[in-house]
Amino acid sequence: MGFLLAVHGTPSDYQQDERKELDRCAIPTRKRAEKFAEYIHKGIAVCNILKEKNPSFQTLVGDIQTKLSGEYLYAFTYLTYVGYDDLAAPFLKDSLYDDYILTYAKNYLKFLKKDAILFTQGDVDTYPLIYVQEKLGFRKDVIVLNVGQLQLPAYLNYQLQKHPDLFPASFKNFYCCNNSDYVYLSDNTENLSSVYINLLLKKLTELSENCADIKPAKPLFDTRRFETYDMSPETIELPDFMYLCDLAEFMIVLNNLHDKPVYYGNTVSSPMQYVLYPYTSNKGMASEILRNSRPEEYPINTYEETAGHRGYNTVDTASIRIFLKEGDFKVEANNTAIKTNSQAIELLYLQYASQLMQYVKMLIEEKQLQAAREIYNQQEELFYFNTQHISYHLAYPQIKLLTELKLFDKASNMILTDIRNLETQTKTIDETNASFRRYFISQMEDLIMENKFPDKLMLLSKIKSLKTRLRID
């Protein structure tokens, strides 16, 4: 991105026209965009050499193919944002993602309402979704917005051009100012009075009339509490500091809540998602923002304990039931991706499994234990990876779910299987996985202590021996 929108090169050639930092809302020249594309192609060529030498090579984001696909989509999206579609097109290649990533993207988009807005956050929950939309033509009606990229004026310009009603047009005058990366909303945490939310946009508009006068360190209001007119409860407490991406996110929500369904992907953890969490209702892979934070038709979400003003949201159990019934979760053991990208795929299945656990917990609370057991048996394949080896992502959730279902014999067998898998591990593991292992064993021990396992003493003895062998205090 630096080569495209900011400074690139060495200090000696910094003053060259094509290497100067652009104004915030300026479009890079074609020469600059071509140079950006050239460098990305060079990086991709290196990754391809590495892939030929070792197709299973692991990077921070997954196997080498996952890294490659991210590089391709990174270039495609940024060149698209600045208007060079012809330079972007070659990066949208065939077969960039394995079957599991493509299925994950479709499972994400498939169950959203028509013309929805979806906030995402990372590479894996953004780029594959864009890929299935642009390459495969799947659910192109959904507007996918990455909350981090909302910090970039080029990204906001692109979205405003493509979707003119996405946020108030006057907001553009503000984010094109040089000092608009963040605002200091208020330093008064004790003032319980509130102001109408339209005053926030009015204040930003006033600031944009003279960009030089914007002083980010100066509080804009004497309170952080704002009235939203038509949300219930009406008063929302905003953070003391708001980055441009937070402001944009909030403007988009308020500007569209009447006319379009707006969702947060369940992988998103942004300051505004934190503020609006009590207004969301979990629908599967995403949670819809509702105007009423406590609709009577949805039960309260008790699956996950939350603290502080974040509070709790609700669960649309009917939507989750449809998601579990109609989602594509099939595992093909002979698929190459299972071997090369196992860890990343396990994380995808953890997201699926969390929906199963949430739904099962709801059924248990409604005293529908038999129905809960039937759902688990139908969806047990979600825990496939934990049957092949110890999966720190899936092992504990599966056993915890089995104890909630009062299937203690099955839970005991899974614990013994996990212990055997841990005992037979021969590969040296890094500190991160060692930490996962310690945490898993500790959680398992607590779970056994808290529940009425028929063979509790035997299981605790096995855990104790394992801790001694692995030198875990």
Side-chain angles (χ1 to χ4, degrees), residues 50-319:
L50 182 56
K51 180 184 174 184
E52 289 176 9
K53 291 180 177 295
N54 183 3
S56 300
F57 183 84
Q58 295 299 305
T59 72
L60 290 175
V61 296
D63 68 354
I64 187 63
Q65 181 57 43
T66 302
K67 173 65 175 174
L68 265 170
S69 58
E71 291 299 307
Y72 277 112
L73 265 293
Y74 167 78
F76 171 79
T77 53
Y78 274 91
L79 288 168
T80 301
Y81 299 158
V82 294
Y84 295 104
D85 292 357
D86 59 322
L87 296 177
F91 290 98
L92 198 65
K93 291 187 173 297
D94 295 336
S95 306
L96 283 184
Y97 290 98
D98 64 52
D99 295 339
Y100 293 96
I101 302 293
L102 291 178
T103 299
Y104 170 77
K106 290 180 179 180
N107 282 337
Y108 226 124
L109 294 169
K110 179 179 178 180
F111 301 96
L112 303 179
K113 295 176 183 175
K114 182 174 172 54
D115 298 325
I117 295 172
L118 172 67
F119 290 111
T120 61
Q121 186 160 21
D123 288 359
V124 175
D125 66 346
T126 302
Y127 288 151
L129 275 62
I130 293 173
Y131 185 80
V132 298
Q133 287 184 317
E134 299 300 324
K135 187 67 174 178
L136 307 181
F138 185 83
R139 288 304 306 267
K140 295 191 71 171
D141 59 298
V142 176
I143 302 174
V144 177
L145 299 173
N146 183 283
V147 294
Q149 292 182 356
L150 290 172
Q151 186 72 17
L152 303 173
Y155 185 69
L156 294 171
N157 281 342
Y158 168 76
Q159 297 297 347
L160 184 61
Q161 182 179 8
K162 193 173 182 181
H163 313 288
D165 298 324
L166 189 62
F167 52 79
S170 59
F171 183 53
K172 178 178 180 178
N173 297 329
F174 172 76
Y175 69 69
C176 283
C177 290
N178 284 333
N179 289 334
S180 62
D181 282 332
Y182 69 91
V183 297
Y184 190 4
L185 208 59
S186 176
D187 58 359
N188 191 339
T189 59
E190 298 180 357
N191 187 356
L192 299 181
S193 62
S194 58
V195 297
Y196 287 116
I197 194 64
N198 63 337
L199 293 180
L200 176 57
L201 180 59
K202 183 179 179 182
K203 178 70 73 173
L204 297 179
T205 302
E206 291 173 356
L207 290 173
S208 66
E209 291 173 356
N210 192 343
C211 293
D213 286 345
I214 296 179
K215 297 178 175 59
K218 182 180 179 180
L220 298 182
F221 296 94
D222 192 41
T223 181
R224 292 161 47 189
R225 295 163 62 87
F226 291 84
E227 299 293 327
T228 59
Y229 296 114
D230 54 359
M231 296 179 75
S232 178
E234 293 182 350
T235 304
I236 289 181
E237 185 172 331
L238 295 176
D240 50 356
F241 278 91
M242 294 183 73
Y243 285 97
L244 175 60
C245 55
D246 303 325
L247 287 169
E249 194 177 321
F250 194 43
M251 294 292 174
I252 291 168
V253 170
L254 293 180
N255 208 49
N256 291 275
L257 208 51
H258 274 288
D259 306 316
K260 292 183 177 180
V262 184
Y263 296 84
Y264 277 112
N266 287 347
T267 49
V268 176
S269 179
S270 69
M272 288 315 306
Q273 187 268 354
Y274 186 89
V275 168
L276 295 170
Y277 180 81
Y279 294 86
T280 63
S281 183
N282 192 2
K283 308 278 183 176
M285 294 292 287
S287 295
E288 184 177 3
I289 304 173
L290 307 176
R291 291 168 60 190
N292 182 354
S293 73
R294 298 290 178 267
E296 293 182 358
E297 65 265 35
Y298 302 135
I300 290 169
N301 182 2
T302 57
Y303 167 67
E304 180 182 350
E305 292 184 2
T306 53
H309 70 273
R310 176 184 171 98
Y312 49 86
N313 69 347
T314 56
V315 180
D316 183 349
T317 50
S319 292

Side-chain angles (χ1 to χ4, degrees), residues 7 96 100 168 260 375 400 467:
V7 178
L96 283 184
Y100 293 96
K260 292 183 177 180
I375 289 290
K400 189 173 188 300
K467 290 172 71 175

